[in-house]
Amino acid sequence: MKDIKFMKSVKGKQNFPCEKLMSLEKIENEKKAMRWGLTCEKGQCQERIVKDGKEIVEICKFKPTIKQVEENSHSSDSCHYYLQKYLALISNHSLWNYHSFFQIMKFNRKLFADYLDRKVSIFDEAHKIEDQIIQFVGFDIFGGQIDECKLDYSRYDYSDIDSMVNLTDDMAFQYAKKIKQIKEDPNFEKNPDFEQLSRLEKRYDKTAQARIDIIEDKENFVVNEPQKDLDGKIKFVSIKPIDVSKFAKTFFETEYQIFMSATIDKNSFCENLGLDLDEIAFIDTPKSPFPEVNRSIDFLNIRRLSYGSTHEDELEVIKIIDKIMDEHKDERGLILTSSIPRCKLIQRYLSPKNTRRIKICHSSNPDGKSQDEIIQEHAKDHASVLLSSSLWEGVDLKDDLSRFQIIAKVPYPNYKEKRIKAKMDKFPLWYTSQTLTKLLQGFGRSIRSETDWAKTYVLDTAVNNVLFKAQRMIPKSYYDVLKIDI
Ligand code: SF4
């Protein structure tokens, strides 16, 4: 937005105060509304009401139409969220987050067809596209929904896709029954609860649609191990597609697509998204714009860490982490590993003085602090060291925020997760490329500009195996620091 002034960006509903809620609460100050949490996320943009004895859908009076925005005839108190969204749609150049854009492409393409006719689309951080697509084609069943439908948990096999199809079938049936009961209840006419009705209808639609998607191509779906609470009760079960390529085309419709990433490989990327290799031009930047000396990597080959490694192997690696932290005693740093239990083990066995420097940071944390809050605390302490299994991507530790980073363990995808195992069996290239991408992303966390620098240490010997297997996938801009001869 800073570089390209004419670009119109779209932000999520949580960034804007809802005019309707403000008027209901009689608040005029937008900052105050935001502080009170009266954001567009909570606004009811359309409501079912009874008027003159008839049930009608009432659209929020603050919501402009896209035509009004195009003709500049919308009212001055129009909803901020829809205004910016429609301004982006009518403008020649717009900037979207993946979720908002994919939402339009999947559900509202026809509605906005006149505005989506573009020549080029550019997808940044393209190595994450599969994760974004999966959010639109997988299905999660929550324990609360099974309870709501009054179904008996023990009747289903949570490892079997047919049984899960039966579960979605039973849920859809129960939702339909509830909707019918509500509508036929004599109280409904006198005192209708449209909020509850529309919630049940949405659940019915989603469940019924998921059932259709799964039945159409059952072989392509896996049921992940259910997540359970402390009492062993099911919290949720995820049903995910193995191959997303069949769904990918929905999202890439322009004549030209540009996919940008520092860490993608042509063959596995095309295979994964179902792109025809002959239709792709691949530009592998020959050299990193950041000097080699600022990005040096030391492969220390301490021990091979895996599910089968011994306690002694783990302790040996932790001993070296301690030593490196001593060498950087007055600097901030980052330690990356593969799981939360491994983070705890490292914290437990470091020397007391280095344990005090550690700040464990995950996307969600037991004390309720967000990742950003922990990083802010880290910025205030001159020798703080972040320890994480989730900061491999999407975090900018620029300049003094991190001058050393330790890769304690190679980030293999968790093959105990059924979808990962199934995908790995079907697409071996994918598994290697996922590991490489995450590793290379990790290397980049602490060097964010031409003048920034940080030292990287890799302790897990398994890295050699990954780099050997993935040698044809490594982008050229890493050849210098990985000492690969061209
Ligand atoms: S259209 Fe905008 S102002 Fe109206 S309810 Fe929705 S978010 Fe709120």
Side-chain angles (χ1 to χ4, degrees):
M1 289 304 296
K2 266 188 227 147
D3 291 344
I4 310 173
K5 303 280 185 222
F6 53 79
M7 193 82 87
K8 296 276 182 252
S9 75
V10 178
K11 290 186 184 161
K13 284 186 164 176
Q14 70 280 11
N15 296 293
F16 301 96
C18 169
E19 302 282 341
K20 183 171 168 180
L21 291 174
M22 283 173 65
S23 107
L24 285 173
E25 297 290 335
K26 299 193 178 24
I27 294 177
E28 287 185 3
N29 184 313
E30 292 186 348
K31 281 193 183 143
K32 190 169 165 188
M34 289 299 285
R35 275 202 306 277
W36 283 25
L38 304 178
T39 61
C40 287
E41 256 178 326
K42 297 185 187 130
Q44 290 222 28
C45 309
Q46 56 184 52
E47 272 183 278
R48 278 201 264 172
I49 57 159
V50 177
K51 204 170 181 181
D52 304 331
K54 265 195 184 165
E55 184 187 321
I56 57 157
V57 174
E58 187 185 68
I59 310 275
C60 166
K61 67 173 180 175
F62 298 101
K63 187 177 176 186
T65 64
I66 191 161
K67 271 272 163 264
Q68 286 170 335
V69 176
E70 198 172 12
E71 289 159 5
N72 204 12
S73 61
H74 56 279
S75 96
S76 58
D77 59 357
S78 289
C79 167
H80 297 302
Y81 168 74
Y82 282 102
L83 189 57
Q84 52 111 40
K85 182 170 166 176
Y86 294 161
L87 280 170
L89 277 165
I90 62 171
S91 103
N92 284 341
H93 304 89
S94 53
L95 181 64
W96 299 72
N97 67 33
Y98 273 104
H99 193 83
S100 313
F101 183 67
F102 281 4
Q103 183 104 15
I104 284 208
M105 296 304 279
K106 170 107 181 166
F107 301 112
N108 289 325
R109 192 159 11 148
K110 278 199 185 128
L111 189 65
F112 296 118
D114 293 348
Y115 307 94
L116 294 172
D117 183 18
R118 315 271 168 146
K119 189 115 177 149
V120 183
S121 34
I122 303 175
F123 298 90
D124 196 12
E125 304 289 358
H127 55 278
K128 299 289 286 177
I129 282 185
E130 181 178 8
D131 295 346
Q132 299 292 336
I133 292 175
I134 254 181
Q135 291 182 28
F136 287 85
V137 280
F139 185 58
D140 291 332
I141 301 171
F142 291 88
Q145 291 172 290
I146 303 176
D147 291 336
E148 182 176 55
C149 293
K150 297 202 169 44
L151 295 170
D152 177 357
Y153 283 81
S154 66
R155 282 186 53 212
Y156 306 96
D157 176 353
Y158 298 90
S159 60
D160 176 51
I161 191 74
D162 287 315
S163 190
M164 291 301 97
V165 170
N166 289 341
L167 175 57
T168 51
D169 207 11
D170 293 346
M171 284 169 64
F173 178 77
Q174 291 299 332
Y175 282 129
K177 199 165 125 190
K178 271 174 190 280
I179 292 166
K180 189 164 175 272
Q181 275 167 358
I182 290 178
K183 283 186 170 172
E184 287 174 356
D185 188 332
N187 284 330
F188 184 71
E189 265 190 33
K190 281 184 244 149
N191 191 14
D193 184 350
F194 287 120
E195 213 174 303
Q196 191 201 10
L197 188 63
S198 88
R199 190 180 58 79
L200 289 171
E201 282 175 344
K202 269 190 202 152
R203 291 198 171 173
Y204 169 80
D205 288 347
K206 218 172 164 199
T207 314
Q209 185 58 48
R211 185 178 174 277
I212 295 168
D213 286 349
I214 298 166
I215 283 180
E216 266 179 11
D217 188 8
K218 252 192 320 184
E219 300 297 304
N220 191 32
F221 282 87
V222 281
V223 191
N224 272 334
E225 199 62 41
Q227 297 288 315
K228 296 185 178 169
D229 63 18
L230 291 175
D231 301 328
K233 197 178 161 202
I234 288 181
K235 275 207 300 198
F236 71 91
V237 195
S238 280
I239 304 168
K240 300 278 180 207
I242 302 167
D243 180 4
V244 297
S245 65
K246 328 185 156 130
F247 309 99
K249 289 209 168 60
T250 317
F251 305 108
F252 312 128
E253 285 250 302
T254 49
E255 191 179 340
Y256 296 98
Q257 338 284 332
I258 300 177
F259 297 101
M260 306 206 303
S261 170
T263 54
I264 49 177
D265 152 65
K266 183 179 179 183
N267 290 339
S268 65
F269 186 74
C270 289
E271 178 182 70
N272 210 16
L273 294 190
L275 304 173
D276 186 345
L277 279 171
D278 296 334
E279 290 182 6
I280 305 294
F282 192 74
I283 302 167
D284 191 359
T285 312
K287 212 172 165 355
S288 167
F290 303 169
E292 180 186 343
V293 50
N294 291 0
R295 302 178 288 128
S296 69
I297 304 174
D298 257 7
F299 292 94
L300 298 178
N301 289 323
I302 304 303
R303 291 291 164 97
R304 188 176 203 287
L305 296 185
S306 65
Y307 287 111
S309 51
T310 63
H311 191 57
E312 196 242 318
D313 291 336
E314 304 276 357
L315 291 186
E316 188 57 28
V317 167
I318 297 170
K319 202 169 92 189
I320 303 300
I321 296 176
D322 221 17
K323 208 168 138 230
I324 297 170
M325 286 179 74
D326 285 344
E327 282 165 20
H328 294 268
K329 63 181 186 329
D330 290 318
E331 287 172 325
R332 292 189 198 90
L334 167 70
I335 303 168
L336 291 170
T337 186
S338 61
S339 66
I340 293 176
R342 278 214 154 87
C343 288
K344 288 188 179 149
L345 198 72
I346 293 172
Q347 191 183 32
R348 180 167 167 211
Y349 285 104
L350 282 175
S351 59
K353 67 176 182 311
N354 283 331
T355 303
R356 282 195 291 275
R357 296 172 63 191
I358 291 289
K359 285 191 178 50
I360 292 197
C361 180
H362 301 295
S363 39
S364 65
N365 297 286
D367 54 8
K369 282 186 191 155
S370 68
Q371 184 177 298
D372 285 349
E373 282 169 333
I374 295 178
I375 293 174
Q376 276 165 23
E377 286 175 10
H378 167 77
K380 286 181 194 148
D381 178 347
H382 82 286
S384 164
V385 178
L386 294 167
L387 169 58
S388 177
S389 55
S390 59
L391 292 182
W392 290 90
E393 298 172 56
V395 65
D396 276 353
L397 297 174
K398 62 175 181 179
D399 301 327
D400 288 343
L401 281 182
S402 177
R403 289 302 186 196
F404 68 100
Q405 41 184 25
I406 303 172
I407 309 285
K409 163 91 181 78
V410 164
Y412 288 112
N414 180 4
Y415 70 80
K416 288 192 172 167
E417 211 180 280
K418 277 201 205 151
R419 178 186 182 257
I420 293 189
K421 172 85 175 69
K423 181 125 189 173
M424 175 179 154
D425 291 344
K426 206 167 168 190
F427 302 102
L429 207 58
W430 173 85
Y431 189 75
T432 308
S433 112
Q434 289 285 305
T435 314
L436 179 73
T437 294
K438 206 163 173 181
L439 185 67
L440 299 183
Q441 286 287 332
F443 288 164
R445 287 315 91 207
S446 306
I447 308 112
R448 311 302 303 165
S449 69
E450 286 96 330
T451 52
D452 196 0
W453 56 269
K455 174 115 187 164
T456 301
Y457 302 89
V458 183
L459 312 192
D460 185 357
T461 313
V463 73
N464 302 319
N465 198 23
V466 176
L467 295 177
F468 178 72
K469 269 195 182 166
Q471 51 187 307
R472 286 165 182 272
M473 301 178 182
I474 299 171
K476 292 200 180 86
S477 56
Y478 289 89
Y479 281 15
D480 53 359
V481 285
L482 296 179
K483 308 290 174 220
I484 297 173
D485 289 333
I486 303 170

